[in-house]
């Protein structure tokens, strides 16, 4: 779980980036806790890639600062960062082993270390027989694996993965997911940019949501979820639910066969779930009772939807 | 620097390991050698053109027409012109032209001579024939006015020119044919290599872009390192190729070619060693002149001392008379400078476009100066004055100097001009590299955008 008490491995302060007439990032600040999985979310064109390119030093920010482990970001950090871009690519006519060696050496890894780790990783991801093959002879999934290896081979402290699961079948996606978790447990921090909310839910310790060049939300996943709770409970049971009470409000009710029902009930302020439960027990047979916690997907849609129509972008910080 | 070295290595090794590199490295010298030997054989066996003379006049002009290196006059079949034509068509060995002198041709009426051939009679041949006929008629006229034959012969002046390059120690003899040939050969090499390998740089860049490996690379190294690494790596490939060609064609021309030529002429060699060297030399003269057909036949004659039979063959012996050190050094410098200048522009083009078909419109302004400098240099330097003002300016402007200066090198260039042109070229490629790098760093990450010149010029001023 997140070690939110430690100093952030990466801190972005008020970063601004302008491309000609288009503002890609408008004063974005965020902090990525060490040894956690950090979800960088946002709709297409929100500015995620621009931010990632600044962190990976592909481009510079127009203003604002980025700190890596307390130091101002500089080229000496390149070896401590690993980056898997959304648009994957390798030299097609290069052998898998040579390509990994080349990319690792460009990330400041010595030849000897690189060779040893390449062997280990190819073994681990079952690519050993392909080491001497040209990349173009590999299937797309295998190429993705090679690219993943290239990203983590130099054992970076900070790994940035842009849509890491695209192009993987479910089995390989799981394999990669396990590797990501293992990397975190070994001490790495992972920034994870994606649209696939279920993987965010599954993996991320904390998130930041960027929309229209601004950060609109960030913090630990549990905190955010709590913050977006609406004091709503889901009830399933048997019987006839006739809820006429000043303290509760039924938002949704569905009849099911054999007199079963499903309902969502919102509590008004000052009411506890136990009050509702007590009331329900008198009326129906309760089969299930649980708090409704919003999914990241719902939060995403709510926040992005809120800011969609107008220019009224509010800065909500958890 | 360490990273740029890694990039250079990769670019170099992947290219040198390709089969196509090996094939071109081996085949090109072989082809050059084969054409050389072929031309040598062909030109050494070729004899003077046979011209049949159908003389209906009473002057007996045929007896007066003197054979030259190019022409050999024989009598045409007797009878009417039609009969002579028929015989000419079927003549064996082949006759190249039929000269008809009409019955009413006299020393006072020199009209009506016709020359006929199978197809058009080549202009050069026409001129040669006219010269011979004019000479014959003039001599007849002189004879008519009472000048004796001995006097006529005595009046013919024979002058030969031996051009000497005073810049060279000892003022060795030099001949225009070889010099011109080397000027051609060097400049075409520069032109070809810049073009071929410049386009390779462009392809390499646009491949990296369309492969989408660019983003990974750029997160590890600076765009400038990536661009320069590629350019320098490919420069290494060029130099390797060049060295291989030099060594191989030297080997082939000095070892294989003499064997082939010798096998062709066993009798001449056996009979008189001196004669063999004499026949062999015109053949080798042509070695140097693959690109310049008109230049050489006279070259061996004007070369005063006859080459010793043993080491006579090859362009290599003729080269001795030229400032070989400064030519080779200058060639390397101007070639590399030109390559760096142009290939950085090609790299910028490769970075700006999404696929190679889009590259055409941007290649135009880059290739035009390259092509122009070759074409203009030929007419200004080789066919004009190698040290004239136009030649001077062409060899100063960095876009044209790599080709123009290399073309001037064999003719001898003042040191201060070399230094100035070299400095300008270095400044030039620093300039183009700077511009190219600015475009490159933006272009490589720009996808799906229709790029215009206006857009490109904007990129140059983008901040980091």
């Amino acid at each position: 779980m997140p070690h939110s008490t430690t100093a952030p491995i990466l801190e972005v302060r008020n970063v601004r980036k302008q491309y000609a007439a288009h503002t890609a990032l408008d004063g974005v600040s965020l902090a990525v806790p060490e040894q956690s999985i950090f979800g960088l979310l946002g709709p297409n064109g929100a500015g995620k890639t621009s931010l990632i390119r600044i962190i990976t030093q592909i481009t510079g920010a127009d203003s604002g600062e980025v700190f890596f482990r307390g130091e101002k970001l500089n080229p000496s950090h390149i070896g401590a960062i690993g980056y898997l871009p959304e648009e994957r690519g390798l030299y097609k006519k290069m052998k898998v082993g040579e390509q990994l060696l080349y990319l690792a050496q460009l990330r400041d890894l010595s030849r000897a270390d690189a060779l040893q780790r390449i062997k280990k990783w190819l073994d681990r991801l079952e690519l050993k027989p392909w080491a001497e093959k040209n990349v173009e002879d590999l299937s797309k999934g295998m190429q993705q694996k090679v690219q993943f290896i290239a990203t983590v081979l130099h054992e970076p402290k900070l790994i940035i993965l842009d849509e890491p699961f695209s192009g993987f079948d479910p089995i390989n996606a799981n394999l990669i997911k396990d590797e990501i978790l293992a990397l975190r447990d070994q001490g790495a921090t992972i920034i994870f940019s994606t649209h696939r909310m279920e993987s965010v839910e599954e993996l991320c310790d904390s998130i930041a949501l960027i929309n229209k060049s601004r950060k609109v939300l960030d913090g630990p996943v549990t905190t955010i979820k709590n913050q977006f709770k609406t004091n709503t409970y889901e009830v399933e049971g048997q019987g006839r639910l006739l809820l006429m009470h000043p303290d509760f409000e039924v938002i949704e009710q569905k009849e099911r066969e054999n007199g079963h029902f499903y309902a969502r009930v919102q509590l008004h302020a000052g009411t506890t779930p136990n009050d509702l439960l007590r009331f329900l027990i008198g009326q129906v047979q309760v089969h299930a009772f649980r708090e409704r916690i919003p999914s990241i997907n719902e939060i995403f849609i709510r926040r992005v939807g809120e800011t969609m129509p107008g220019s009224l972008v509010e800065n909500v910080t958890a | 620097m360490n990273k740029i070295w890694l990039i250079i290595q990769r670019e170099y090794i992947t290219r040198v390991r390709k089969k196509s590199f090996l094939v071109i490295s081996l085949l090109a010298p072989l082809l050059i050698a084969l054409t050389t030997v072929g031309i040598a054989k062909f030109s050494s066996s070729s004899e003077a053109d046979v011209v049949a003379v159908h003389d209906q006049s009473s002057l007996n002009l045929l007896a007066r027409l003197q054979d030259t290196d190019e022409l050999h006059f024989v009598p045409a079949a007797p009878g009417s012109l039609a009969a002579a034509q028929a015989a000419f068509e079927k003549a064996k060995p082949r006759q190249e032209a039929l000269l008809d002198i009409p019955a009413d041709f006299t020393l006072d009426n020199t009209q009506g001579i016709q020359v006929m051939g199978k197809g058009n009679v080549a202009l050069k041949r026409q001129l040669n024939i006219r010269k011979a006929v004019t000479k014959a008629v003039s001599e007849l006229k002189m004879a008519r006015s009472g000048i004796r034959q001995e006097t006529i012969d005595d009046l013919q002046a024979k002058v030969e020119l031996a051009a000497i390059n005073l810049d060279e120690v000892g003022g060795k003899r030099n001949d225009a044919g070889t010099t011109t040939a080397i000027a051609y050969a060097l400049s075409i090499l520069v032109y070809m290599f810049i073009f071929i390998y410049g386009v390779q740089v462009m392809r390499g860049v646009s491949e990296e872009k369309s492969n989408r490996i660019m983003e990974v690379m750029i997160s590890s190294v600076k765009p400038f390192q990536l661009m320069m690494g590629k350019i320098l790596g490919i420069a290494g490939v060029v130099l390797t190729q060049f060295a291989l060609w030099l060594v191989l064609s030297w080997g082939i021309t000095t070892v294989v070619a003499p064997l082939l030529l010798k096998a062709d002429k066993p009798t001449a060699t056996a009979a008189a060693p001196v004669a063999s060297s004499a026949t062999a030399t015109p053949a080798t003269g042509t070695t140097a002149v693959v690109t310049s057909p008109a230049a050489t036949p006279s070259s061996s004659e004007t070369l005063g001392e006859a080459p010793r039979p043993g080491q006579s063959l090859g362009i290599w012996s003729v080269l001795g008379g030229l400032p070989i050190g400064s030519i080779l050094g200058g060639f390397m410098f101007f070639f590399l400078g030109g390559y760096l200048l142009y290939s950085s522009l090609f790299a910028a083009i490769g970075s700006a476009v999404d696929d190679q078909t889009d590259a055409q419109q941007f290649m135009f302004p880059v290739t035009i100066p390259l092509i122009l400098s070759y074409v203009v240099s030929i007419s200004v330097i080789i066919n004009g004055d190698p040290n004239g003002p136009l030649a001077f300016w062409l060899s100063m402007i960095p876009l044209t100097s790599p080709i123009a200066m290399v073309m001037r090198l064999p003719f001898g260039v003042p040191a201060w001009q070399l230094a100035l042109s070299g400095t300008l070229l270095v400044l030039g490629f620093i300039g183009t590299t700077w511009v190219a790098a600015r475009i490159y760093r933006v272009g490589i990450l720009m996808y799906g955008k229709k790029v215009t010149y206006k857009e490109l010029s904007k990129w140059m001023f983008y901040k980091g």
Side-chain angles (χ1 to χ4, degrees), chain B residues 176 180-181 183-184 291-295 374-388 391 407-408 411:
Chain B
T180 310
Y184 262 115
T291 47
S292 135
Y374 183 67
V375 175
V376 175
S377 292
I378 286 178
S379 64
V380 168
I381 295 168
I382 291 186
N383 299 329
D385 179 4
N387 288 309
M407 213 181 266
R408 284 181 65 193
F411 297 99

Side-chain angles (χ1 to χ4, degrees), chain A residues 83 89 91-92 102 106-107, chain B residues 3 208 211 215 219-220:
Chain A
Y83 174 38
Y91 289 107
K92 290 196 165 63
Y102 177 57
L106 286 179
R107 290 270 184 190
Chain B
K3 285 185 184 176
E208 274 171 351
N211 269 359
E215 215 168 328
S219 68
S220 298

Side-chain angles (χ1 to χ4, degrees), chain A residues 66-183:
Chain A
V66 181
F67 292 89
F68 184 80
R69 297 184 137 179
E71 277 176 59
K72 212 167 167 188
L73 194 67
N74 65 60
S76 73
H77 297 135
I78 282 174
I81 297 177
Y83 174 38
L84 180 72
E86 182 177 6
E87 296 284 2
R88 310 290 153 73
L90 295 164
Y91 289 107
K92 290 196 165 63
K93 301 221 178 279
M94 225 174 158
K95 294 192 176 101
V96 171
E98 283 176 8
Q99 179 133 220
L100 287 172
L101 179 63
Y102 177 57
L103 293 173
Q105 282 183 303
L106 286 179
R107 290 270 184 190
D108 304 327
L109 196 63
S110 76
R111 193 186 160 84
D113 284 353
L115 286 172
Q116 197 192 335
R117 288 186 207 171
I118 289 167
K119 229 177 129 210
K120 190 190 88 184
W121 272 102
L122 287 180
D123 241 357
R124 199 152 155 178
L125 295 186
E126 292 151 7
L127 285 170
K128 195 124 200 207
W130 301 89
E132 291 299 311
K133 291 273 195 308
N134 278 345
V135 168
E136 61 185 351
D137 298 333
L138 270 62
S139 73
K140 197 162 177 233
M142 284 194 277
Q143 288 186 26
Q144 302 269 42
K145 281 197 208 169
V146 173
Q147 190 126 35
F148 181 80
I149 296 175
T151 310
V152 299
L153 199 62
H154 56 294
E155 295 184 356
K157 293 287 164 237
L158 179 66
I159 302 168
I160 300 170
L161 307 173
D162 201 346
E163 294 292 354
F165 300 119
S166 70
F168 278 118
D169 59 45
I171 294 169
N172 279 321
N174 256 331
L175 193 74
I176 295 299
K177 196 184 80 190
D178 291 343
E179 292 300 339
I180 292 172
L181 289 170
L183 285 166

Side-chain angles (χ1 to χ4, degrees), chain A residues 6-261:
Chain A
T6 54
I9 187 168
L10 185 84
E11 212 185 335
V12 175
R13 281 188 206 156
N14 202 23
V15 161
R16 202 172 288 275
K17 179 79 184 174
Q18 181 104 20
Y19 288 110
H22 165 71
T23 304
L25 292 169
D26 190 3
V28 170
S29 301
L30 50 85
V32 179
E34 180 124 32
Q35 213 188 341
S36 69
I37 299 180
F38 185 90
L40 187 61
L41 316 179
N44 294 325
K48 289 180 309 228
T49 304
S50 294
L51 182 60
I52 289 175
R53 284 183 178 172
I54 287 167
I55 298 169
T56 50
Q57 302 183 58
I58 290 173
T59 53
D62 292 347
S63 66
E65 286 166 319
V66 181
F67 292 89
F68 184 80
R69 297 184 137 179
E71 277 176 59
K72 212 167 167 188
L73 194 67
N74 65 60
S76 73
H77 297 135
I78 282 174
I81 297 177
Y83 174 38
L84 180 72
E86 182 177 6
E87 296 284 2
R88 310 290 153 73
L90 295 164
Y91 289 107
K92 290 196 165 63
K93 301 221 178 279
M94 225 174 158
K95 294 192 176 101
V96 171
E98 283 176 8
Q99 179 133 220
L100 287 172
L101 179 63
Y102 177 57
L103 293 173
Q105 282 183 303
L106 286 179
R107 290 270 184 190
D108 304 327
L109 196 63
S110 76
R111 193 186 160 84
D113 284 353
L115 286 172
Q116 197 192 335
R117 288 186 207 171
I118 289 167
K119 229 177 129 210
K120 190 190 88 184
W121 272 102
L122 287 180
D123 241 357
R124 199 152 155 178
L125 295 186
E126 292 151 7
L127 285 170
K128 195 124 200 207
W130 301 89
E132 291 299 311
K133 291 273 195 308
N134 278 345
V135 168
E136 61 185 351
D137 298 333
L138 270 62
S139 73
K140 197 162 177 233
M142 284 194 277
Q143 288 186 26
Q144 302 269 42
K145 281 197 208 169
V146 173
Q147 190 126 35
F148 181 80
I149 296 175
T151 310
V152 299
L153 199 62
H154 56 294
E155 295 184 356
K157 293 287 164 237
L158 179 66
I159 302 168
I160 300 170
L161 307 173
D162 201 346
E163 294 292 354
F165 300 119
S166 70
F168 278 118
D169 59 45
I171 294 169
N172 279 321
N174 256 331
L175 193 74
I176 295 299
K177 196 184 80 190
D178 291 343
E179 292 300 339
I180 292 172
L181 289 170
L183 285 166
R184 181 195 58 188
D185 294 341
Q186 284 156 28
T189 307
I190 291 120
I191 294 180
F192 180 34
S193 168
T194 186
H195 295 122
R196 297 191 12 179
M197 294 306 156
E198 72 277 9
S199 51
V200 174
E201 206 92 43
E202 219 173 328
L203 289 172
C204 289
D205 303 312
S206 42
I207 59 163
L209 177 58
I210 293 182
N211 189 32
K212 295 196 166 183
S213 321
R214 286 165 184 262
K215 182 189 73 183
V216 289
L217 180 71
D218 72 345
V221 170
T222 41
T223 315
I224 289 177
K225 283 190 163 188
N226 281 332
Q227 188 192 329
F228 275 82
K229 280 195 303 204
T230 49
N231 219 7
T232 306
Y233 290 80
E234 291 176 307
V235 186
E236 282 174 57
Q238 207 173 10
R240 236 181 120 64
L241 183 64
L242 281 167
L243 211 54
M244 297 290 280
H245 197 282
D247 292 341
F248 320 120
E249 187 181 337
V250 177
I251 296 170
E252 191 191 353
Q253 187 167 357
K254 278 185 203 147
E255 295 291 336
R256 289 180 178 162
E257 64 263 39
N258 304 331
H260 287 249
F261 71 91

Side-chain angles (χ1 to χ4, degrees), chain B residues 151-212:
Chain B
T151 320
I152 296 172
D153 288 346
D154 189 46
L155 281 172
Q156 306 289 337
K158 272 207 166 173
V159 178
E160 280 184 12
L161 275 180
I164 291 168
N165 183 348
L166 289 174
D167 291 346
E168 277 305 287
V169 197
K172 281 186 195 160
R173 294 229 181 135
N174 178 16
D175 71 280
T178 318
T179 309
T180 310
I182 290 170
Y184 262 115
L186 291 184
S187 56
I188 207 166
L189 269 180
V190 171
Y191 172 76
M192 242 171 50
F193 274 82
I194 287 182
F195 214 115
I196 293 173
Y197 287 93
V199 169
Q200 274 215 22
V201 169
M202 184 183 81
R203 262 204 216 126
V205 171
S206 78
E207 244 172 51
E208 274 171 351
K209 195 179 168 184
S210 56
N211 269 359
R212 309 271 174 165

